[in-house]
Amino acid sequence: MPNQTSVSLADWEAQYARLRGCLAQVGWISDGYVQDRGPGAGGPCYQWTRKVKGKTVSVALSKEQYQWLRSAIIQWRRLQATLKEMQRLSRRVLFETPRVRGDRNQTLYHAD
């Protein structure tokens, strides 16, 4: 990425538009994590674990459910990363663009 002095508002707007495009590509989402625990006494064992009201909840899954949730969890993590980048970029534009910033320079701002 170019250094701060060479980045224009148009560059940031283009980057933000690319991130918005990523949002449009998001499929099904879910939190938690899944495990393939390998073969057990009754065959393969797949498990989905997540937090519900501060408690850990686990659910046994079929192979198809495991595969679907695995994909949904990957999508959820990508979505979170995209939103975090959009938020970071929004703050940079707010505090580093004179037109948006106005006369005040926020010295307490940290881009990360």
Side-chain angles (χ1 to χ4, degrees), residues 16-87:
Y16 200 81
R18 182 188 60 77
L19 292 168
R20 277 198 318 262
C22 291
L23 293 179
Q25 303 301 314
V26 174
W28 298 105
I29 60 173
S30 180
D31 62 348
Y33 65 97
V34 290
Q35 299 178 71
D36 176 353
R37 299 177 62 101
C45 181
Y46 303 98
Q47 187 174 359
W48 172 39
T49 304
R50 68 196 189 287
K51 290 283 189 179
V52 177
K53 296 182 181 177
K55 303 258 184 192
T56 302
V57 177
S58 294
V59 177
L61 303 171
S62 68
K63 182 176 183 176
E64 293 77 19
Q65 289 171 322
Y66 164 79
Q67 291 169 338
W68 192 93
L69 269 169
R70 184 172 173 260
S71 176
I73 291 167
I74 290 168
Q75 289 294 314
W76 173 240
R77 291 177 183 157
R78 286 182 184 153
L79 173 62
Q80 288 179 305
T82 299
L83 290 172
K84 185 175 182 176
E85 180 62 16
M86 291 175 83
Q87 185 178 59

Side-chain angles (χ1 to χ4, degrees), residues 1-9 12 88-102 104-106 109-112:
M1 183 171 184
N3 65 33
Q4 282 183 347
T5 57
S6 66
V7 178
S8 70
L9 181 58
W12 281 333
R88 187 192 65 77
L89 184 59
S90 295
R91 287 190 299 254
R92 285 193 71 185
V93 169
L94 173 65
F95 291 106
E96 295 179 22
T97 304
R99 185 177 82 189
V100 176
R101 187 179 67 226
R104 288 188 228 156
N105 187 0
Q106 300 291 332
Y109 168 74
H110 188 272
D112 295 326

